[in-house]
Amino acid sequence: MSPMLRVCAAMLAKDLRRELRSKEIFISGFLLSVILLCVIFFSVTASDLSFKKIGAGAIWICILFTGTVGMNRIHQSEMINGCYRGLILAPVEGGWLYLAKVAANVLLLGFAATLLLPLTAVAFHIPVFSNLPWLLASIYLGISAFAAIGTLVVVITANTRMKDVLFPMIQLPLVVPVLMGGVNSTAMALKGEPPGDWIQFLAALNVVFLSLGFLLYEFLLEE
Amino acid sequence: MSFRINLDQVVKKFDSFFALRSFSEVVKKGDRISILGHNGAGKSTLLNMIATLTRPSSGNIDYEQHGARLNDKVQIRSLLSYLGHEPMLYPDLTGLENLRFVARLNGQPHDDACLLEHLETVGMQKARNRLLRTCSRGMQQRLSIARVLVSRPQLLLLDEPFSGLDSEGLARFSKFFSDSDFSWLLVTHDMEQAWSMANRFWILKRGKLIHSLDRADLSHANFLELAREGTMAGVDQ
């Protein structure tokens, strides 16, 4: 098995097992999303806005908050018992560790987003199943770029005193392009149109941030 | 497999505070070095730098294997295993699952039989399926020792590895580290233990190496006298 696959498999197995046991991200992230969906639902009901127009925005607001809270939780649990030092000291390229960490984050956040889709479909009367492949491509490519940025930012802020505040403050401006791409791509997919250009934009963001993380992670991990 | 670590004029500064001053020494295969010194003498800082966790402020640490210099951190890290003050194990995983993760990450065999052997070495085979967060401090320390053994390193860097262990654990690991083929650097405050296990001694005082000693050149009484010189200095003195 190649080092990349070995590290990815080990990291995924470990993170999934921990999540199944602790349900930390599910409880902190997914339930927050459900509350957010309710708030958006009641605000839309009280206004003249159309449910169909707000659907893509609602999905991405939930992904944004679930992702921010979830990534913070994932990283905090790595800091307990000095586990992060254990990862740094493993005889593995920092870049592989980064990609493995992003893969685990994408899987956990992607699962929460997939659970959100039926809820959003029911609450906002949007046809999520009519153009499912494009919709999933929009969401997963967006989540991947989001996780690529978040995994990098979380390490930058890890050794600061105000990490809980600094992480969203640095991460949110950086994910604006991802949100633009994600919302537009999702909105087009929900209308039944192929969001080719926006998908390309999201793919390009993935390439840029994953390459940046791959190259910088080793340097950022040093204490 | 032979290895050699050359520490040349290594200095570590935190702002204006010198944690380690001009430290020059060599570590090679077969060395079992006890590092003694008062609190804040620079013992843990030294281990952190050798483990590649922090860089020296000045000076060099060169790693060699079979006479060839290692420049790649991945190669250097496969040579070493570090046991610090924290267990570096996940609270939501069992002892066996934690070791499996470490073994997979290090590219070592991770079948149950192999991992159970390590758990047996540290006396944790029966508690292998207990979640780490339900284990006592001493049990976690035993699992930490198993963790450093799983990666099959050339050199163990042990920072107070016996803290929290009961008398059975102390006897077990004193014997294990004395009898095994591992080379190690051991930070300890227990002078008797340091004497009984090591073949070399480094005594630090306020960031300076004041004595580098070979067991063959020393009597027990001499060692205790020199070790007290380093360990009796207070942080503020």
PDB file of all heavy atoms in Angstrom, chain A residues 72-107:
ATOM      1  N   ASN A  72     -13.540  22.653  14.233  1.00  0.00           N
ATOM      2  CA  ASN A  72     -12.968  23.085  15.499  1.00  0.00           C
ATOM      3  C   ASN A  72     -12.985  21.937  16.510  1.00  0.00           C
ATOM      4  O   ASN A  72     -12.016  21.693  17.220  1.00  0.00           O
ATOM      5  CB  ASN A  72     -13.769  24.273  16.042  1.00  0.00           C
ATOM      6  CG  ASN A  72     -12.855  25.321  16.650  1.00  0.00           C
ATOM      7  OD1 ASN A  72     -11.668  25.090  16.804  1.00  0.00           O
ATOM      8  ND2 ASN A  72     -13.421  26.454  16.986  1.00  0.00           N
ATOM      9  N   ARG A  73     -14.108  21.210  16.539  1.00  0.00           N
ATOM     10  CA  ARG A  73     -14.240  20.081  17.472  1.00  0.00           C
ATOM     11  C   ARG A  73     -13.230  18.977  17.125  1.00  0.00           C
ATOM     12  O   ARG A  73     -12.583  18.412  17.990  1.00  0.00           O
ATOM     13  CB  ARG A  73     -15.659  19.468  17.415  1.00  0.00           C
ATOM     14  CG  ARG A  73     -16.764  20.311  17.971  1.00  0.00           C
ATOM     15  CD  ARG A  73     -16.639  20.617  19.441  1.00  0.00           C
ATOM     16  NE  ARG A  73     -16.250  19.469  20.250  1.00  0.00           N
ATOM     17  CZ  ARG A  73     -15.636  19.568  21.422  1.00  0.00           C
ATOM     18  NH1 ARG A  73     -15.344  20.731  21.914  1.00  0.00           N
ATOM     19  NH2 ARG A  73     -15.322  18.493  22.102  1.00  0.00           N
ATOM     20  N   ILE A  74     -13.125  18.683  15.816  1.00  0.00           N
ATOM     21  CA  ILE A  74     -12.208  17.614  15.386  1.00  0.00           C
ATOM     22  C   ILE A  74     -10.785  17.964  15.826  1.00  0.00           C
ATOM     23  O   ILE A  74     -10.060  17.140  16.377  1.00  0.00           O
ATOM     24  CB  ILE A  74     -12.248  17.436  13.850  1.00  0.00           C
ATOM     25  CG1 ILE A  74     -13.597  16.891  13.396  1.00  0.00           C
ATOM     26  CG2 ILE A  74     -11.139  16.488  13.381  1.00  0.00           C
ATOM     27  CD1 ILE A  74     -13.816  16.900  11.886  1.00  0.00           C
ATOM     28  N   HIS A  75     -10.421  19.237  15.622  1.00  0.00           N
ATOM     29  CA  HIS A  75      -9.054  19.615  15.957  1.00  0.00           C
ATOM     30  C   HIS A  75      -8.822  19.616  17.465  1.00  0.00           C
ATOM     31  O   HIS A  75      -7.773  19.183  17.938  1.00  0.00           O
ATOM     32  CB  HIS A  75      -8.716  20.980  15.371  1.00  0.00           C
ATOM     33  CG  HIS A  75      -7.259  21.291  15.484  1.00  0.00           C
ATOM     34  ND1 HIS A  75      -6.314  20.612  14.747  1.00  0.00           N
ATOM     35  CD2 HIS A  75      -6.574  22.145  16.272  1.00  0.00           C
ATOM     36  CE1 HIS A  75      -5.117  21.061  15.070  1.00  0.00           C
ATOM     37  NE2 HIS A  75      -5.247  21.990  15.987  1.00  0.00           N
ATOM     38  N   GLN A  76      -9.829  20.096  18.204  1.00  0.00           N
ATOM     39  CA  GLN A  76      -9.678  20.105  19.667  1.00  0.00           C
ATOM     40  C   GLN A  76      -9.484  18.686  20.207  1.00  0.00           C
ATOM     41  O   GLN A  76      -8.706  18.461  21.121  1.00  0.00           O
ATOM     42  CB  GLN A  76     -10.887  20.749  20.319  1.00  0.00           C
ATOM     43  CG  GLN A  76     -10.743  22.271  20.392  1.00  0.00           C
ATOM     44  CD  GLN A  76     -11.974  22.940  20.925  1.00  0.00           C
ATOM     45  OE1 GLN A  76     -12.829  22.301  21.531  1.00  0.00           O
ATOM     46  NE2 GLN A  76     -12.086  24.231  20.684  1.00  0.00           N
ATOM     47  N   SER A  77     -10.212  17.738  19.607  1.00  0.00           N
ATOM     48  CA  SER A  77     -10.063  16.367  20.103  1.00  0.00           C
ATOM     49  C   SER A  77      -8.694  15.796  19.740  1.00  0.00           C
ATOM     50  O   SER A  77      -8.216  14.870  20.396  1.00  0.00           O
ATOM     51  CB  SER A  77     -11.185  15.466  19.582  1.00  0.00           C
ATOM     52  OG  SER A  77     -11.185  15.473  18.177  1.00  0.00           O
ATOM     53  N   GLU A  78      -8.047  16.340  18.706  1.00  0.00           N
ATOM     54  CA  GLU A  78      -6.677  15.909  18.383  1.00  0.00           C
ATOM     55  C   GLU A  78      -5.671  16.488  19.382  1.00  0.00           C
ATOM     56  O   GLU A  78      -4.596  15.940  19.581  1.00  0.00           O
ATOM     57  CB  GLU A  78      -6.270  16.391  16.987  1.00  0.00           C
ATOM     58  CG  GLU A  78      -6.954  15.693  15.836  1.00  0.00           C
ATOM     59  CD  GLU A  78      -6.384  14.317  15.531  1.00  0.00           C
ATOM     60  OE1 GLU A  78      -5.522  13.847  16.289  1.00  0.00           O
ATOM     61  OE2 GLU A  78      -6.844  13.709  14.562  1.00  0.00           O
ATOM     62  N   MET A  79      -6.030  17.648  19.969  1.00  0.00           N
ATOM     63  CA  MET A  79      -5.098  18.301  20.891  1.00  0.00           C
ATOM     64  C   MET A  79      -5.103  17.628  22.267  1.00  0.00           C
ATOM     65  O   MET A  79      -4.132  17.722  23.008  1.00  0.00           O
ATOM     66  CB  MET A  79      -5.457  19.787  21.068  1.00  0.00           C
ATOM     67  CG  MET A  79      -5.395  20.614  19.795  1.00  0.00           C
ATOM     68  SD  MET A  79      -3.780  20.611  19.031  1.00  0.00           S
ATOM     69  CE  MET A  79      -3.025  21.980  19.870  1.00  0.00           C
ATOM     70  N   ILE A  80      -6.231  16.943  22.615  1.00  0.00           N
ATOM     71  CA  ILE A  80      -6.309  16.270  23.917  1.00  0.00           C
ATOM     72  C   ILE A  80      -5.224  15.200  23.987  1.00  0.00           C
ATOM     73  O   ILE A  80      -4.988  14.489  22.999  1.00  0.00           O
ATOM     74  CB  ILE A  80      -7.707  15.624  24.101  1.00  0.00           C
ATOM     75  CG1 ILE A  80      -8.779  16.701  24.135  1.00  0.00           C
ATOM     76  CG2 ILE A  80      -7.765  14.780  25.365  1.00  0.00           C
ATOM     77  CD1 ILE A  80     -10.188  16.150  24.092  1.00  0.00           C
ATOM     78  N   ASN A  81      -4.599  15.081  25.143  1.00  0.00           N
ATOM     79  CA  ASN A  81      -3.558  14.062  25.377  1.00  0.00           C
ATOM     80  C   ASN A  81      -2.340  14.226  24.482  1.00  0.00           C
ATOM     81  O   ASN A  81      -1.539  13.305  24.348  1.00  0.00           O
ATOM     82  CB  ASN A  81      -4.113  12.638  25.160  1.00  0.00           C
ATOM     83  CG  ASN A  81      -4.925  12.151  26.329  1.00  0.00           C
ATOM     84  OD1 ASN A  81      -4.979  12.827  27.346  1.00  0.00           O
ATOM     85  ND2 ASN A  81      -5.553  11.007  26.195  1.00  0.00           N
ATOM     86  N   GLY A  82      -2.232  15.370  23.803  1.00  0.00           N
ATOM     87  CA  GLY A  82      -1.059  15.573  22.932  1.00  0.00           C
ATOM     88  C   GLY A  82      -1.056  14.692  21.695  1.00  0.00           C
ATOM     89  O   GLY A  82       0.001  14.425  21.119  1.00  0.00           O
ATOM     90  N   CYS A  83      -2.268  14.226  21.269  1.00  0.00           N
ATOM     91  CA  CYS A  83      -2.337  13.315  20.117  1.00  0.00           C
ATOM     92  C   CYS A  83      -1.728  13.949  18.871  1.00  0.00           C
ATOM     93  O   CYS A  83      -1.162  13.261  18.024  1.00  0.00           O
ATOM     94  CB  CYS A  83      -3.781  12.930  19.835  1.00  0.00           C
ATOM     95  SG  CYS A  83      -4.495  11.972  21.152  1.00  0.00           S
ATOM     96  N   TYR A  84      -1.852  15.276  18.776  1.00  0.00           N
ATOM     97  CA  TYR A  84      -1.349  15.960  17.591  1.00  0.00           C
ATOM     98  C   TYR A  84       0.173  15.799  17.463  1.00  0.00           C
ATOM     99  O   TYR A  84       0.695  15.656  16.373  1.00  0.00           O
ATOM    100  CB  TYR A  84      -1.717  17.449  17.656  1.00  0.00           C
ATOM    101  CG  TYR A  84      -2.103  17.954  16.303  1.00  0.00           C
ATOM    102  CD1 TYR A  84      -3.341  17.606  15.758  1.00  0.00           C
ATOM    103  CD2 TYR A  84      -1.245  18.722  15.545  1.00  0.00           C
ATOM    104  CE1 TYR A  84      -3.698  18.022  14.500  1.00  0.00           C
ATOM    105  CE2 TYR A  84      -1.603  19.147  14.287  1.00  0.00           C
ATOM    106  CZ  TYR A  84      -2.826  18.799  13.766  1.00  0.00           C
ATOM    107  OH  TYR A  84      -3.170  19.200  12.507  1.00  0.00           O
ATOM    108  N   ARG A  85       0.847  15.796  18.610  1.00  0.00           N
ATOM    109  CA  ARG A  85       2.299  15.595  18.605  1.00  0.00           C
ATOM    110  C   ARG A  85       2.633  14.192  18.089  1.00  0.00           C
ATOM    111  O   ARG A  85       3.630  13.994  17.408  1.00  0.00           O
ATOM    112  CB  ARG A  85       2.869  15.756  20.001  1.00  0.00           C
ATOM    113  CG  ARG A  85       2.890  17.194  20.461  1.00  0.00           C
ATOM    114  CD  ARG A  85       3.510  17.288  21.818  1.00  0.00           C
ATOM    115  NE  ARG A  85       4.552  18.281  21.844  1.00  0.00           N
ATOM    116  CZ  ARG A  85       5.490  18.345  22.776  1.00  0.00           C
ATOM    117  NH1 ARG A  85       5.525  17.462  23.740  1.00  0.00           N
ATOM    118  NH2 ARG A  85       6.390  19.280  22.755  1.00  0.00           N
ATOM    119  N   GLY A  86       1.767  13.240  18.440  1.00  0.00           N
ATOM    120  CA  GLY A  86       1.952  11.871  17.939  1.00  0.00           C
ATOM    121  C   GLY A  86       1.896  11.841  16.426  1.00  0.00           C
ATOM    122  O   GLY A  86       2.676  11.142  15.770  1.00  0.00           O
ATOM    123  N   LEU A  87       0.958  12.618  15.844  1.00  0.00           N
ATOM    124  CA  LEU A  87       0.843  12.673  14.379  1.00  0.00           C
ATOM    125  C   LEU A  87       2.084  13.321  13.771  1.00  0.00           C
ATOM    126  O   LEU A  87       2.614  12.849  12.770  1.00  0.00           O
ATOM    127  CB  LEU A  87      -0.388  13.496  13.974  1.00  0.00           C
ATOM    128  CG  LEU A  87      -1.755  12.874  14.165  1.00  0.00           C
ATOM    129  CD1 LEU A  87      -2.826  13.808  13.629  1.00  0.00           C
ATOM    130  CD2 LEU A  87      -1.849  11.536  13.455  1.00  0.00           C
ATOM    131  N   ILE A  88       2.534  14.430  14.402  1.00  0.00           N
ATOM    132  CA  ILE A  88       3.701  15.145  13.871  1.00  0.00           C
ATOM    133  C   ILE A  88       4.915  14.220  13.840  1.00  0.00           C
ATOM    134  O   ILE A  88       5.701  14.244  12.904  1.00  0.00           O
ATOM    135  CB  ILE A  88       4.029  16.383  14.761  1.00  0.00           C
ATOM    136  CG1 ILE A  88       2.885  17.393  14.726  1.00  0.00           C
ATOM    137  CG2 ILE A  88       5.319  17.050  14.323  1.00  0.00           C
ATOM    138  CD1 ILE A  88       3.019  18.497  15.764  1.00  0.00           C
ATOM    139  N   LEU A  89       5.042  13.386  14.895  1.00  0.00           N
ATOM    140  CA  LEU A  89       6.241  12.561  15.028  1.00  0.00           C
ATOM    141  C   LEU A  89       6.195  11.288  14.185  1.00  0.00           C
ATOM    142  O   LEU A  89       7.187  10.568  14.110  1.00  0.00           O
ATOM    143  CB  LEU A  89       6.453  12.189  16.501  1.00  0.00           C
ATOM    144  CG  LEU A  89       6.906  13.352  17.381  1.00  0.00           C
ATOM    145  CD1 LEU A  89       6.864  12.966  18.845  1.00  0.00           C
ATOM    146  CD2 LEU A  89       8.306  13.800  17.000  1.00  0.00           C
ATOM    147  N   ALA A  90       5.054  11.020  13.547  1.00  0.00           N
ATOM    148  CA  ALA A  90       4.967   9.816  12.701  1.00  0.00           C
ATOM    149  C   ALA A  90       5.886   9.998  11.492  1.00  0.00           C
ATOM    150  O   ALA A  90       5.996  11.097  10.961  1.00  0.00           O
ATOM    151  CB  ALA A  90       3.536   9.607  12.248  1.00  0.00           C
ATOM    152  N   PRO A  91       6.541   8.920  11.063  1.00  0.00           N
ATOM    153  CA  PRO A  91       7.458   9.042   9.922  1.00  0.00           C
ATOM    154  C   PRO A  91       6.700   9.106   8.596  1.00  0.00           C
ATOM    155  O   PRO A  91       6.748   8.189   7.779  1.00  0.00           O
ATOM    156  CB  PRO A  91       8.308   7.767  10.028  1.00  0.00           C
ATOM    157  CG  PRO A  91       7.461   6.802  10.765  1.00  0.00           C
ATOM    158  CD  PRO A  91       6.532   7.568  11.628  1.00  0.00           C
ATOM    159  N   VAL A  92       5.966  10.183   8.434  1.00  0.00           N
ATOM    160  CA  VAL A  92       5.107  10.370   7.266  1.00  0.00           C
ATOM    161  C   VAL A  92       5.275  11.812   6.785  1.00  0.00           C
ATOM    162  O   VAL A  92       5.411  12.715   7.606  1.00  0.00           O
ATOM    163  CB  VAL A  92       3.619  10.158   7.665  1.00  0.00           C
ATOM    164  CG1 VAL A  92       2.705  10.390   6.494  1.00  0.00           C
ATOM    165  CG2 VAL A  92       3.411   8.778   8.241  1.00  0.00           C
ATOM    166  N   GLU A  93       5.259  12.030   5.461  1.00  0.00           N
ATOM    167  CA  GLU A  93       5.335  13.396   4.926  1.00  0.00           C
ATOM    168  C   GLU A  93       4.166  14.220   5.460  1.00  0.00           C
ATOM    169  O   GLU A  93       3.028  13.734   5.477  1.00  0.00           O
ATOM    170  CB  GLU A  93       5.245  13.370   3.392  1.00  0.00           C
ATOM    171  CG  GLU A  93       6.425  12.759   2.690  1.00  0.00           C
ATOM    172  CD  GLU A  93       7.651  13.658   2.704  1.00  0.00           C
ATOM    173  OE1 GLU A  93       7.540  14.825   3.110  1.00  0.00           O
ATOM    174  OE2 GLU A  93       8.731  13.153   2.329  1.00  0.00           O
ATOM    175  N   GLY A  94       4.431  15.472   5.853  1.00  0.00           N
ATOM    176  CA  GLY A  94       3.366  16.343   6.347  1.00  0.00           C
ATOM    177  C   GLY A  94       2.239  16.487   5.335  1.00  0.00           C
ATOM    178  O   GLY A  94       1.066  16.539   5.708  1.00  0.00           O
ATOM    179  N   GLY A  95       2.582  16.520   4.052  1.00  0.00           N
ATOM    180  CA  GLY A  95       1.578  16.659   2.994  1.00  0.00           C
ATOM    181  C   GLY A  95       0.587  15.510   2.973  1.00  0.00           C
ATOM    182  O   GLY A  95      -0.620  15.698   2.802  1.00  0.00           O
ATOM    183  N   TRP A  96       1.090  14.288   3.179  1.00  0.00           N
ATOM    184  CA  TRP A  96       0.184  13.115   3.209  1.00  0.00           C
ATOM    185  C   TRP A  96      -0.752  13.222   4.417  1.00  0.00           C
ATOM    186  O   TRP A  96      -1.929  12.896   4.332  1.00  0.00           O
ATOM    187  CB  TRP A  96       0.963  11.804   3.287  1.00  0.00           C
ATOM    188  CG  TRP A  96       1.876  11.502   2.148  1.00  0.00           C
ATOM    189  CD1 TRP A  96       3.151  11.022   2.232  1.00  0.00           C
ATOM    190  CD2 TRP A  96       1.611  11.653   0.736  1.00  0.00           C
ATOM    191  NE1 TRP A  96       3.685  10.889   0.985  1.00  0.00           N
ATOM    192  CE2 TRP A  96       2.774  11.258   0.044  1.00  0.00           C
ATOM    193  CE3 TRP A  96       0.510  12.087   0.008  1.00  0.00           C
ATOM    194  CZ2 TRP A  96       2.863  11.285  -1.345  1.00  0.00           C
ATOM    195  CZ3 TRP A  96       0.593  12.120  -1.382  1.00  0.00           C
ATOM    196  CH2 TRP A  96       1.747  11.727  -2.036  1.00  0.00           C
ATOM    197  N   LEU A  97      -0.174  13.663   5.552  1.00  0.00           N
ATOM    198  CA  LEU A  97      -1.005  13.821   6.763  1.00  0.00           C
ATOM    199  C   LEU A  97      -2.131  14.816   6.489  1.00  0.00           C
ATOM    200  O   LEU A  97      -3.279  14.603   6.885  1.00  0.00           O
ATOM    201  CB  LEU A  97      -0.164  14.358   7.920  1.00  0.00           C
ATOM    202  CG  LEU A  97       0.576  13.376   8.802  1.00  0.00           C
ATOM    203  CD1 LEU A  97       1.310  14.118   9.897  1.00  0.00           C
ATOM    204  CD2 LEU A  97      -0.370  12.367   9.413  1.00  0.00           C
ATOM    205  N   TYR A  98      -1.765  15.900   5.792  1.00  0.00           N
ATOM    206  CA  TYR A  98      -2.751  16.943   5.480  1.00  0.00           C
ATOM    207  C   TYR A  98      -3.875  16.372   4.612  1.00  0.00           C
ATOM    208  O   TYR A  98      -5.060  16.554   4.922  1.00  0.00           O
ATOM    209  CB  TYR A  98      -2.051  18.104   4.771  1.00  0.00           C
ATOM    210  CG  TYR A  98      -2.998  19.118   4.174  1.00  0.00           C
ATOM    211  CD1 TYR A  98      -3.671  20.023   4.980  1.00  0.00           C
ATOM    212  CD2 TYR A  98      -3.230  19.158   2.801  1.00  0.00           C
ATOM    213  CE1 TYR A  98      -4.553  20.936   4.435  1.00  0.00           C
ATOM    214  CE2 TYR A  98      -4.106  20.067   2.245  1.00  0.00           C
ATOM    215  CZ  TYR A  98      -4.764  20.962   3.067  1.00  0.00           C
ATOM    216  OH  TYR A  98      -5.645  21.863   2.535  1.00  0.00           O
ATOM    217  N   LEU A  99      -3.497  15.672   3.544  1.00  0.00           N
ATOM    218  CA  LEU A  99      -4.525  15.131   2.644  1.00  0.00           C
ATOM    219  C   LEU A  99      -5.403  14.106   3.373  1.00  0.00           C
ATOM    220  O   LEU A  99      -6.620  14.056   3.156  1.00  0.00           O
ATOM    221  CB  LEU A  99      -3.874  14.495   1.412  1.00  0.00           C
ATOM    222  CG  LEU A  99      -3.180  15.480   0.461  1.00  0.00           C
ATOM    223  CD1 LEU A  99      -2.610  14.746  -0.747  1.00  0.00           C
ATOM    224  CD2 LEU A  99      -4.117  16.584  -0.011  1.00  0.00           C
ATOM    225  N   ALA A 100      -4.792  13.319   4.241  1.00  0.00           N
ATOM    226  CA  ALA A 100      -5.566  12.326   4.997  1.00  0.00           C
ATOM    227  C   ALA A 100      -6.543  13.022   5.932  1.00  0.00           C
ATOM    228  O   ALA A 100      -7.701  12.605   6.079  1.00  0.00           O
ATOM    229  CB  ALA A 100      -4.618  11.432   5.794  1.00  0.00           C
ATOM    230  N   LYS A 101      -6.086  14.092   6.557  1.00  0.00           N
ATOM    231  CA  LYS A 101      -6.939  14.845   7.489  1.00  0.00           C
ATOM    232  C   LYS A 101      -8.098  15.497   6.724  1.00  0.00           C
ATOM    233  O   LYS A 101      -9.235  15.490   7.199  1.00  0.00           O
ATOM    234  CB  LYS A 101      -6.061  15.920   8.167  1.00  0.00           C
ATOM    235  CG  LYS A 101      -6.532  16.403   9.486  1.00  0.00           C
ATOM    236  CD  LYS A 101      -6.274  15.426  10.595  1.00  0.00           C
ATOM    237  CE  LYS A 101      -7.274  15.692  11.696  1.00  0.00           C
ATOM    238  NZ  LYS A 101      -7.983  14.552  12.192  1.00  0.00           N
ATOM    239  N   VAL A 102      -7.796  16.065   5.544  1.00  0.00           N
ATOM    240  CA  VAL A 102      -8.861  16.676   4.730  1.00  0.00           C
ATOM    241  C   VAL A 102      -9.874  15.597   4.327  1.00  0.00           C
ATOM    242  O   VAL A 102     -11.093  15.811   4.425  1.00  0.00           O
ATOM    243  CB  VAL A 102      -8.268  17.363   3.466  1.00  0.00           C
ATOM    244  CG1 VAL A 102      -9.379  17.808   2.524  1.00  0.00           C
ATOM    245  CG2 VAL A 102      -7.431  18.567   3.857  1.00  0.00           C
ATOM    246  N   ALA A 103      -9.379  14.436   3.911  1.00  0.00           N
ATOM    247  CA  ALA A 103     -10.279  13.351   3.486  1.00  0.00           C
ATOM    248  C   ALA A 103     -11.217  12.956   4.624  1.00  0.00           C
ATOM    249  O   ALA A 103     -12.434  12.777   4.414  1.00  0.00           O
ATOM    250  CB  ALA A 103      -9.463  12.147   3.024  1.00  0.00           C
ATOM    251  N   ALA A 104     -10.673  12.845   5.835  1.00  0.00           N
ATOM    252  CA  ALA A 104     -11.506  12.464   6.985  1.00  0.00           C
ATOM    253  C   ALA A 104     -12.534  13.560   7.272  1.00  0.00           C
ATOM    254  O   ALA A 104     -13.709  13.267   7.538  1.00  0.00           O
ATOM    255  CB  ALA A 104     -10.626  12.225   8.211  1.00  0.00           C
ATOM    256  N   ASN A 105     -12.104  14.824   7.184  1.00  0.00           N
ATOM    257  CA  ASN A 105     -13.031  15.938   7.435  1.00  0.00           C
ATOM    258  C   ASN A 105     -14.139  15.980   6.383  1.00  0.00           C
ATOM    259  O   ASN A 105     -15.301  16.215   6.711  1.00  0.00           O
ATOM    260  CB  ASN A 105     -12.276  17.270   7.436  1.00  0.00           C
ATOM    261  CG  ASN A 105     -11.402  17.433   8.666  1.00  0.00           C
ATOM    262  OD1 ASN A 105     -11.595  16.727   9.654  1.00  0.00           O
ATOM    263  ND2 ASN A 105     -10.439  18.315   8.612  1.00  0.00           N
ATOM    264  N   VAL A 106     -13.769  15.750   5.111  1.00  0.00           N
ATOM    265  CA  VAL A 106     -14.770  15.768   4.034  1.00  0.00           C
ATOM    266  C   VAL A 106     -15.811  14.684   4.277  1.00  0.00           C
ATOM    267  O   VAL A 106     -17.019  14.901   4.121  1.00  0.00           O
ATOM    268  CB  VAL A 106     -14.103  15.575   2.645  1.00  0.00           C
ATOM    269  CG1 VAL A 106     -15.138  15.327   1.563  1.00  0.00           C
ATOM    270  CG2 VAL A 106     -13.258  16.793   2.294  1.00  0.00           C
ATOM    271  N   LEU A 107     -15.334  13.516   4.681  1.00  0.00           N
ATOM    272  CA  LEU A 107     -16.262  12.405   4.891  1.00  0.00           C
ATOM    273  C   LEU A 107     -17.248  12.710   6.025  1.00  0.00           C
ATOM    274  O   LEU A 107     -18.457  12.496   5.893  1.00  0.00           O
ATOM    275  CB  LEU A 107     -15.465  11.138   5.206  1.00  0.00           C
ATOM    276  CG  LEU A 107     -16.169   9.855   4.830  1.00  0.00           C
ATOM    277  CD1 LEU A 107     -16.177   9.686   3.318  1.00  0.00           C
ATOM    278  CD2 LEU A 107     -15.496   8.669   5.478  1.00  0.00           C
TER     279      LEU A 107
END
